[in-house]
Structure formats: C-alpha cells, structure tokens
Amino acid sequence: MAGAFFARFIPPTKKDLRFSKPSEALQKRKRGLDSQVTDASTPPPSPKKQKKSEGVPSSGNKEVYKKDKRFRSAVDDSVQKAPDGEKTNASTPADETETISSEGKKDLAKRQPVKCDPRKIEASPDITKTEDIILQNGIPDNLVQNGKSSKRERKQRPKRLEVNGSDAEIASVKHSKILSRFKKSTVESKVIQNDPLDVAGNVKGTNEAIEPVVAHGLEPLPQPLLATSDSDEKPSYSSLPPWLAKPLIISADRRVKFADLGIDTKLLKILDDHGYKEAFAVQSTVIPLLLPTPSYHPGDLCISAATGSGKTLSYVLPMIKALDTSTATRLRGLIVVPTRELVKQARETCELCAAGTGLRVGTALGNVAIRDEQRTLMRVDSVYDPQSSAEQQQNYMKAEHWTQFNLHDYVSEIKGLNVPLPGYVSRREPNVDILISTPGRLVDHIRFTKGFNLHHLQWLVIDEADRLLNESFQEWVDVVMNSLDTGRSFDVFGATGKFLSNFGVSMSRKHPRKVVLSATMTKDISKLNSLRLVNPKLVVIGASETEKLADPQHSTAKIEDVALITLPPTLKEHSVPAGDGSEKPLYLLRVLLHHIGVDPSTKNALRRRASLQKSDSSHHASSSDSSDSLSSPSLSDSESSSGESTPSSDYKPATSSPNENIARVLVFTRSSEAASRLSRLLSLLCPSIASKVGTIIKSSKSSASRKTLSSYRQGKVTIIIATDRASRGLDLPSLTHVINYDVPTSLTVYVHRVGRTARAGSKGSAWTLVTHGEGKWFSATITKDSDGKIVRSGAMERVNVKLDSMKDIKKEYGAALDRLEIEVKTDFRSKRPSRTGRAIVGS
Ligand SMILES: Nc1ncnc2c1ncn2[C@@H]1O[C@H](COP(=O)(O)OP(=O)(O)OP(=O)(O)O)[C@@H](O)[C@H]1O
C-alpha cells in the first residue's frame, strides 16, 4: 500500500510551488520537530511499545505526536480510498515544507497565493474544508521550504526509508504535521476574530472541537477592545458609603401642621404666638425622624437645607420633647455652633420651646472669664458615699492634722468652702440640661472645669457643620468624641457599675443621638467620619427641581446627582460691574440710594434720589452701548444684562413688619478694617444715613456688635457693615438686602452671605459689586456654577450702574477720602502702621 502511494507520489515541479528561503529560526524549529517526530536511529517499535513511548513524550512532543498520528491514519485512508492509477501531487513533501510562524501568518495575508491546480486538489477527497481553503488559496511560499533539503535531512532520509520502509510515509507525516497545525491556527484565528468566546468550544461553522494549539509564544498578542464613546455614561458605582450616596430627598415646598408632628397643645400655642403657623419642609421631615413615630430613624442624621429654611427649630423641638420627661438636671443636650451670635440665637429658640418644661438651658462662649462661666454652669452636689468619704478623710487627715484639729474652725470651714459632712462627698455636675457652646469654649470646659463631662449626653447637635469641621478650633472634634467615648465606659457608674459589669451586666451607655446640619453640607467622608456617626442618614431638602429625585421612579438618584446647595427660592441675585474698583464706594452708594432706597425718609435723600433717577433713565436707554465698558469681561449674555432697575422692582419684603417699606441692608467687606472705614466713608459721603449705619466686626468689642444688633432690632440701624463673621447663621429679622461690597472668597461664603436675606419664605435681594479683575472668577464660580453644585430659582441679573450723573457726589468723594485719610492717620498712628483712607476703595 505504501509502495502504491509512493509510486503515485510525484514531487511538485518548481512551477507548482514557489519557494522562499526559510529563516534561521524556522530552520532550527524544523530540525527540532523532525527529531521529535521520528528517531531514525532506533528500531521501529512494536505498536504496543510505540503506544507506551507515545504515552510519555515530553510535553512539547506530545502535541506534535498526536497530530502526526492522526494525519498518518488520514493519509493512509486517503491513499486507500484514492482510485488506482490516479495521480495527485496535491501533497507537499514534508521535508520541503516549514512550520507556520507568526511571520508566515502575516505573509499569508499579504502575499499572493501560490497557484495550485484545483483538479489536483480535488483528487484528495478526505481533505477537510479548512484544508480546501488553504489549498485553494495556495500554500504561502514561506510555508514551503526551499526545494533543497538540509544536509542533515538528506543524511537521515535513507535511514528513514530503511526504518519505515516508505519515504512517502515520512513525507506524509511531515506534511500532516504542518498542514494540521496550519489548519488549526487558521481556524482559530478566524474564530478569535469572529467570536473569541467560542475558542474554547466548538468553532462556528465547523462542528469540530478545537484542541488547544501549542503556539510556542507566537500567537498574536491580545489587543484591547476599541474604545467606545462614554461621554454620556455615568459610573454605576459610587465611592461614597450608601447612606451618603442615597440620601432622603424632600422638596422645600413641603408644609405640615405642627399638630400633625405630635407637638403638644401647650407648645403649639407658644409656636403659634411667635408666628410659627406650620412646619417648614426641614421641620416636617426631620422631627418625625427624631421622635418616636412610624418614621423614626434609629441613628444619626445629617441634614442639608437652605439658609433660612428653619433648621434650628427642626432639632430644638424634638430635643426638648425627648428631654422633657427626665427630672434630674444633667447635661443631656449639647449644641455646638461656630459663633457667639449663633449661641444666643439658638438659646432664644431653645428657651422658647422649653418654656414651662423646667429644662435648664445654658451657654458657654468666650466673651466672659471661664471662672464666671464655671460658677453659672456647674453645681456641687453632696452625695452620701461613706467609702469615698473615708478615702478622702484618710488623704486629708494625717496624724499632724489631728493634733491641730479644732471643731469650731472645722464647722466654719465647712460652711464657707462647701466641704461635705462626714460620710458625704462633693460631686461637681453641670447644672444645665441643654448647653449651647462655641467649640473653643467647650474644649476649655472639658479640659479645665472640674466635674464637667459628657457622660449623660443624649443629644449632640452640630450646626453649621461644614464650617466647624473645616476649622480645627483646638481639635474640638477629637476632644468631644473622646469625652463621649469615655462616658460610655462602665466606670462612670462608679462602684456599682464595676460590680455589675463583673457579673457580666452590660453597663455601657447608649450612643448620644447626633444631628449634623448645614446649608452647605460637606460630602467629605473623612470629615464626617471624624464625628463617629452611628447608622447615619442624609436628609437633603432641595428646591422644587430636586423633587423629581424624590420620586420613587427616580429612586436610583445618587448624591452625585443632587446639588447639596440650594439658594432660597425667594432670593433675587444681581451683579454690578464696578469698573477697576477705584470708585467702588460710589457704586455702593448708588445701589443703596437708587436701587435699594435706604434713605427714603429724608428730604435731602429724596431730592438726590429723584435727580439720580432722572439721570439714570437716560443711562438706562443707552446702557447697552456704553455700560459694558464697566462690565466684567466674563459676565455672559446669559446673565440678564439690563439697565438699572428701580427701587420698587425688587424691594418688597414679604414680612408683616409694620416697617415693611424700610430697606434693611447687610453689607459684607473682606476685613474688619475695611468695614469700619467704609462705614465712616458712607457717613461722610451721605450724612443723612450716618446714624443708620452700624458694624459687626471682629476687632470691635462684642458689646459694640451687640449694640449694633439691638439697634437693628429696634429699627434704629438699617445698614450693617460686617465681615464674614456675620455670614453664618445670623438671623436678622426682616433683612431685605445683602450687598457683597467685596466679592466672597468662595461659593460657600457667597451662599451663607446672601442667605442672611430671603429667609423663612420672605423675599430678599442680593447684590455683588464685581470689578474687572474679579469678573472671570465670579462668573465661573458663582454665576454659572459649571460644577452644578448649586440650585437657584432664577438667573443672576446683571445691573449696569452709571456714575456719570454723580458728579456732585464724586467731588464729595474726593474730599471724603482725604478726610478719612487724615482721620485714619490720627487714630491709628500710635497703634499700627496706617493704611491710607483710600485703601478702603479697593478692599
Ligand atoms: N415654621 C416656621 N414658620 C415661620 N417661621 C419660621 C419657621 N421656622 C423657622 N422660622 C423662622 O425662620 C427663620 C430662619 O430660621 P433658622 O435660623 O432656623 O434657619 P436656618 O435654616 O438655621 O438658617 P441658616 O442656615 O442661615 O442658619 C427664623 O427667623 C425662624 O424664626
């Protein structure tokens, strides 16, 4: 049979095959494979022996051997099946071919196929479909070895003939090996292209299971998938913890009756008498979460709600209700706020709600000596504790003391120094149920006030949380949290606690409920983590646009989609281009007199205002062509670019105050020095308003700020010039306007400044003077908010203010600056290096 095959085998002519010179590496591989397939020097093994020897080939040989074996049988079959006398030269002699390299594959794609005679190919009926493809396209010339055999192979050939008895068989073995490998690698590469997942299973289009191909590191490197456009895609994951990523979102429009929140009738009456008719959104959401109702949340709360939305009442009401049930006075509620003014404000609300409950409300702020505060905050209890008393006696009464003991002196000493009677010990305790404190003074008490502790604390409120967490204030967070943790240990229960804990009774206290609030709540998880919150929940009170996020259909809304800053919906914002800043006081005056109408009462002012309005109306008409010379370069067209508005357009406070038509203004400067000079300059420029101007600044004594605030409440002061100290939480009743004389330093500062007006549903108006140099920053950070951090109900309106008609005032302005300069030099010569009065202009 082998002889018949050999007789039919006719080597291909040069015309049939195009040869190329194999590379050195391919030559080496070929030699290696040859030696793996057949060992010509050994006698032919018996089938059994051969099988055994096949069973233990080296891993590299195994694969080749299998293929070899399979092909042998295929060739044998094909030879058997081929009709006698029919000749085919479709087979390529094995010793004249080469294994496929990656180079070869590349060449396969690039080069023209070798032309083969299809009739000859047809002669082999057992050639598989893949073989058909290869052979029809031709074997690439670099796959076919040069017709000259290597020396070694020529030497080996006779031996093989001797051993196997058939040269054709050797040739067929080699051919099969190469063809089989080529076939598999071709099929596999096709499959990888079409469906890489299919490689491990059946190849598409063939039902043949693919054996793993030994590619010897020559397989194509895996390529990355083509990048798809993901501009619209949002990550489906969040780096935030679930409680922060999925807040409870409530629309700011929500209103509920206080009676429906479980507030008792006595308190309802008090609230009603003070104008609290119904609960605002933050109150109607937070109170049920904090009180034992079906919505009760057993954990801490973080609350983000706009300025003036009523956050104070949202925590004071439930805290008072929860603490009301207890009898002994202990420090159980602690409210931390950043400024003294806020301490007083929170105290007022607490005292209002605690009226008639017997709860004691105290404050701790740095305006009095700590000793005085200790006297009012602390009390000394005489507690019967013979054991401790005996220990104390042993410490106090040493032998030498007894020799000098005088009973009369002892009794009088007890009276004066509050020394306990025998068997009793003195124990110092905070003498308030609720303490409202600034963080710095709170730390002072924890560190230095004997007996001051937070062991009994049940409520901890942190208002203006982002500010308190941003500034260290003597590391107050760590000090307070450590004090709370100490208070949870069984040691605080004294000897009884130790005794019971020895018997396995859990003696640790409950975590105090923590309520954290801000209008600009931080998403900084590390800062929030420092508060050691337990089972926290984030509540966001948003503008009506965020209502859709609260919709169950939008339940996948994440904190990334929710702006945590919402401006009051009743706030109207304006920006005023203020040129290069050299005439900023004049712009301020113009806004105060013309747009806000701060001085409608005096005849002088009315006359001035009438003349200004007259001249402004002409400017109004021409504002579009010339006013932009004053404007900041980046105030875009999307912002309303209008002429000057009349005072009546935005001046309609929605309060029921009898002084409804009086404008009340808070002007922000960037420093205390600038505030006091601006106040003086305004008085010089416009003496009629001098008596109405007050300041709230850091450098002044707190009594001065207090005086300003009380004068404001009495209606005597209607213009307050302040620093950012007044920007946080200050609730100035019926404040109609905020003016940023100096631009705020950040969006957060802006939000808190303008949030002093438009509170509790009242209308309010904010004005910002923007110089050329500040325009770009202001537009990008405050007006446009490209980050989408802020929700505002309307666009900021740009108002172009003209100074052309203020020639008289300009003359006064020069004289006023000179006078201020002299005053400043005189006043401050001895105190500090003086800045000129003109420094106020740009500051
Ligand atoms: N339910 C209510 N009805 C009427 N007025 C209310 C109600 N709740 C609060 N107010 C009033 O709204 C004003 C603002 O309240 P509050 O100071 O608590 O706001 P806030 O959210 O804490 O503001 P900020 O973030 O600026 O501190 C106060 O004058 C308060 O008396």
Side-chain angles (χ1 to χ4, degrees):
M1 182 63 74
F5 175 77
F6 189 65
R8 282 202 299 274
F9 178 74
I10 301 163
T13 60
K14 276 190 179 178
K15 205 181 169 187
D16 291 324
L17 297 172
R18 191 180 296 159
F19 300 115
S20 64
K21 197 180 174 189
S23 68
E24 185 67 24
L26 292 178
Q27 285 282 12
K28 276 182 190 169
R29 277 184 62 126
K30 178 184 171 295
R31 279 197 294 272
L33 282 171
D34 282 349
S35 61
Q36 286 163 10
V37 174
T38 315
D39 187 354
S41 61
T42 51
S46 67
K48 206 176 175 183
K49 211 175 176 184
Q50 191 181 359
K51 205 174 179 185
K52 201 178 174 187
S53 68
E54 279 170 9
V56 281
S58 67
S59 58
N61 295 353
K62 208 185 213 175
E63 193 62 35
V64 177
Y65 202 91
K66 272 186 192 169
K67 289 169 191 170
D68 177 15
K69 204 178 157 197
R70 211 168 42 239
F71 190 72
R72 266 190 223 188
S73 61
V75 168
D76 283 346
D77 287 346
S78 72
V79 169
Q80 277 171 359
K81 284 173 191 170
D84 279 346
E86 199 174 326
K87 292 178 182 178
T88 175
N89 62 354
S91 307
T92 308
D95 55 352
E96 289 178 2
T97 58
E98 184 49 79
T99 51
I100 298 164
S101 68
S102 58
E103 226 172 54
K105 284 179 191 171
K106 245 191 244 168
D107 285 347
L108 181 63
K110 281 183 194 167
R111 297 184 189 185
Q112 285 297 317
V114 174
K115 285 175 186 170
C116 289
D117 188 343
R119 286 167 304 170
K120 291 173 186 171
I121 294 164
E122 277 168 20
S124 180
D126 273 300
I127 291 174
T128 62
K129 198 175 174 183
T130 315
E131 284 169 324
D132 281 337
I133 294 163
I134 299 161
L135 293 173
Q136 277 162 22
N137 290 332
I139 298 169
D141 49 8
N142 65 333
L143 302 182
V144 184
Q145 197 188 11
N146 197 321
K148 293 168 190 171
S149 308
S150 70
K151 259 186 182 180
R152 192 174 154 206
E153 284 161 348
R154 276 200 298 274
K155 272 183 195 171
Q156 283 175 349
R157 193 179 295 165
K159 279 187 186 174
R160 281 190 210 149
L161 283 172
E162 265 176 44
V163 172
N164 296 330
S166 168
D167 205 354
E169 202 171 329
I170 295 165
S172 69
V173 166
K174 289 197 173 184
H175 175 96
S176 71
K177 178 183 68 186
I178 293 158
L179 197 59
S180 156
R181 195 174 295 165
F182 178 71
K183 175 184 75 179
K184 281 169 186 168
S185 63
T186 310
V187 169
E188 191 188 355
S189 70
K190 278 186 181 178
V191 172
I192 287 168
Q193 278 171 18
N194 295 335
D195 185 0
L197 293 174
D198 237 357
V199 171
N202 289 334
V203 179
K204 274 184 186 173
T206 74
N207 290 324
E208 194 178 297
I210 295 294
E211 287 178 32
V213 174
V214 181
H216 298 289
L218 295 173
E219 65 274 277
L221 287 170
Q223 296 300 309
L225 292 172
L226 283 176
T228 52
S229 168
D230 57 355
S231 56
D232 295 335
E233 283 180 21
K234 284 187 178 174
S236 57
Y237 60 87
S238 172
S239 55
L240 298 170
W243 73 270
L244 204 52
K246 298 276 286 174
L248 172 65
I249 304 160
I250 302 292
S251 164
D253 301 335
R254 185 172 169 183
R255 294 285 182 278
V256 170
K257 285 197 169 68
F258 278 113
D260 296 341
L261 298 174
I263 308 293
D264 59 58
T265 40
K266 205 172 93 192
L267 189 52
L268 277 179
K269 172 127 186 28
I270 295 171
L271 292 173
D272 194 66
D273 290 348
H274 286 83
Y276 301 100
K277 305 289 176 198
E278 54 183 4
F280 290 164
V282 66
Q283 295 154 2
S284 53
T285 306
V286 170
I287 292 171
L289 290 170
L290 292 174
L291 287 177
T293 63
S295 328
Y296 177 75
H297 172 67
D300 299 331
L301 284 189
C302 281
I303 299 153
S304 175
T307 51
S309 59
K311 292 189 286 295
T312 314
L313 205 63
S314 76
Y315 63 79
V316 168
L317 268 178
M319 182 163 68
I320 299 276
K321 201 167 156 40
L323 301 183
D324 190 15
T325 50
S326 190
T327 46
T329 298
R330 291 194 185 287
L331 179 52
R332 285 169 294 142
L334 175 63
I335 301 168
V336 187
V337 290
T339 63
R340 293 172 198 173
E341 285 78 19
L342 290 187
V343 170
K344 285 175 205 149
Q345 245 172 244
R347 181 180 189 145
E348 280 170 20
T349 311
C350 284
E351 284 176 343
L352 177 82
C353 297
T357 60
L359 291 171
R360 293 172 66 94
V361 180
T363 56
L365 28 87
N367 63 339
V368 288
I370 192 163
R371 275 186 172 281
D372 296 338
E373 219 166 60
Q374 284 167 347
R375 261 196 289 274
T376 55
L377 279 184
M378 304 298 290
R379 70 166 187 270
V380 181
D381 291 338
S382 261
V383 183
Y384 183 67
D385 187 349
Q387 195 185 339
S388 305
S389 174
E391 281 168 15
Q392 279 184 6
Q393 292 291 329
Q394 272 180 357
N395 287 340
Y396 294 146
M397 303 299 279
K398 299 262 160 59
E400 64 268 25
H401 293 131
W402 286 113
T403 55
Q404 298 157 10
F405 181 73
N406 179 313
L407 185 62
H408 186 264
D409 288 350
Y410 178 66
V411 171
S412 59
E413 227 179 11
I414 285 172
K415 264 185 162 178
L417 294 178
N418 212 1
V419 176
L421 289 164
Y424 283 79
V425 288
S426 297
R427 192 165 289 160
R428 290 172 157 268
E429 276 282 338
N431 198 27
V432 291
D433 292 289
I434 297 167
L435 178 68
I436 307 152
S437 178
T438 52
R441 185 43 73 90
L442 177 63
V443 170
D444 288 345
H445 281 299
I446 291 173
R447 283 184 176 152
F448 307 119
T449 302
K450 200 178 168 197
F452 184 93
N453 60 63
L454 307 178
H455 296 169
H456 300 279
L457 206 69
Q458 293 172 20
W459 288 70
L460 172 61
V461 176
I462 299 161
D463 203 351
E464 307 294 343
D466 62 318
R467 164 109 191 263
L468 287 173
L469 293 175
N470 274 339
E471 296 174 24
S472 86
F473 294 116
Q474 301 176 47
E475 313 295 330
W476 77 274
V477 176
D478 288 342
V479 173
V480 170
M481 295 305 140
N482 291 340
S483 179
L484 284 176
D485 280 356
T486 315
R488 294 189 63 238
S489 140
F490 64 80
D491 287 342
V492 300
F493 294 96
T496 319
K498 274 181 205 163
F499 178 78
L500 289 173
S501 72
N502 285 342
F503 281 94
V505 178
S506 172
M507 293 303 294
S508 65
R509 288 184 190 278
K510 272 196 341 189
H511 284 277
R513 158 69 63 69
K514 290 173 192 152
V515 183
V516 182
L517 309 101
S518 181
T520 48
M521 180 58 79
T522 178
K523 283 187 215 173
D524 188 334
I525 189 64
S526 64
K527 284 183 180 153
L528 290 169
N529 277 345
S530 70
L531 295 174
R532 303 177 201 174
L533 301 174
V534 177
N535 188 27
K537 188 185 197 79
L538 175 63
V539 179
V540 177
I541 309 296
S544 41
E545 296 96 86
T546 54
E547 197 172 6
K548 65 179 190 315
L549 292 168
D551 193 306
Q553 285 182 337
H554 294 81
S555 58
T556 54
K558 295 192 183 103
I559 196 68
E560 286 88 346
D561 309 325
V562 181
L564 279 189
I565 303 175
T566 304
L567 286 175
T570 47
L571 178 73
K572 229 176 146 189
E573 299 169 88
H574 307 83
S575 66
V576 178
D580 63 2
S582 61
E583 294 178 314
K584 244 163 84 171
L586 295 180
Y587 282 97
L588 173 66
L589 205 55
R590 178 82 173 178
V591 170
L592 283 172
L593 296 176
H594 176 71
H595 296 275
I596 294 175
V598 289
D599 190 22
S601 57
T602 57
K603 282 182 190 171
N604 188 23
L606 283 175
R607 263 206 315 275
R608 179 172 290 165
R609 210 172 116 193
S611 79
L612 288 175
Q613 278 181 348
K614 206 172 144 197
S615 62
D616 280 347
S617 58
S618 60
H619 285 295
H620 185 104
S622 62
S623 65
S624 60
D625 53 11
S626 62
S627 63
D628 280 342
S629 62
L630 295 167
S631 67
S632 311
S634 59
L635 291 174
S636 72
D637 288 338
S638 63
E639 297 157 29
S640 165
S641 178
S642 70
E644 294 190 45
S645 56
T646 59
S648 57
S649 67
D650 58 49
Y651 172 48
K652 271 182 190 164
T655 61
S656 55
S657 158
N659 298 322
E660 199 167 303
N661 290 324
I662 293 175
R664 293 158 188 264
V665 190
L666 179 60
V667 181
F668 282 104
T669 59
R670 70 167 60 113
S671 70
S672 297
E673 203 176 35
S676 57
R677 288 180 191 178
L678 183 61
S679 156
R680 178 69 184 132
L681 190 63
L682 283 182
S683 304
L684 290 171
L685 281 174
C686 194
S688 61
I689 61 168
S691 62
K692 296 174 189 291
V693 179
T695 56
I696 300 179
I697 52 178
K698 201 176 182 187
S699 56
S700 67
K701 286 177 186 165
S702 66
S703 59
S705 293
R706 248 200 334 263
K707 207 171 145 199
T708 300
L709 285 172
S710 68
S711 297
Y712 175 85
R713 288 198 165 97
Q714 290 161 14
K716 291 178 191 164
V717 164
T718 54
I719 302 169
I720 297 177
I721 302 178
T723 61
D724 282 319
R725 188 180 161 212
S727 70
R728 282 278 180 167
L730 198 62
D731 191 46
L732 294 167
S734 310
L735 189 83
T736 56
H737 295 79
V738 166
I739 301 179
N740 292 313
Y741 178 81
D742 289 321
V743 289
T745 50
S746 69
L747 179 65
T748 304
V749 172
Y750 178 82
V751 168
H752 286 281
R753 278 185 179 187
V754 299
R756 295 316 96 211
T757 187
R759 295 170 75 76
S762 297
K763 280 186 183 170
S765 174
W767 297 72
T768 306
L769 305 185
V770 186
T771 63
H772 282 321
E774 296 155 345
K776 200 171 180 184
W777 175 86
F778 186 79
S779 177
T781 313
I782 311 290
T783 313
K784 285 184 183 154
D785 175 39
S786 48
D787 294 348
K789 284 183 192 159
I790 188 165
V791 175
R792 43 163 55 101
S793 48
M796 189 179 294
E797 187 181 349
R798 186 175 66 179
V799 179
N800 296 309
V801 168
K802 297 290 184 185
L803 298 181
D804 302 2
S805 60
M806 296 182 74
K807 281 181 189 137
D808 291 348
I809 296 183
K810 271 190 180 178
K811 271 186 209 159
E812 289 173 33
Y813 178 55
L817 281 182
D818 289 341
R819 186 153 168 205
L820 185 63
E821 192 166 354
I822 293 164
E823 284 181 10
V824 168
K825 277 180 182 169
T826 314
D827 287 355
F828 294 96
R829 193 174 290 144
S830 57
K831 293 177 190 167
R832 60 176 107 167
S834 172
R835 288 171 66 203
T836 64
R838 287 176 196 278
I840 185 65
V841 171
S843 63

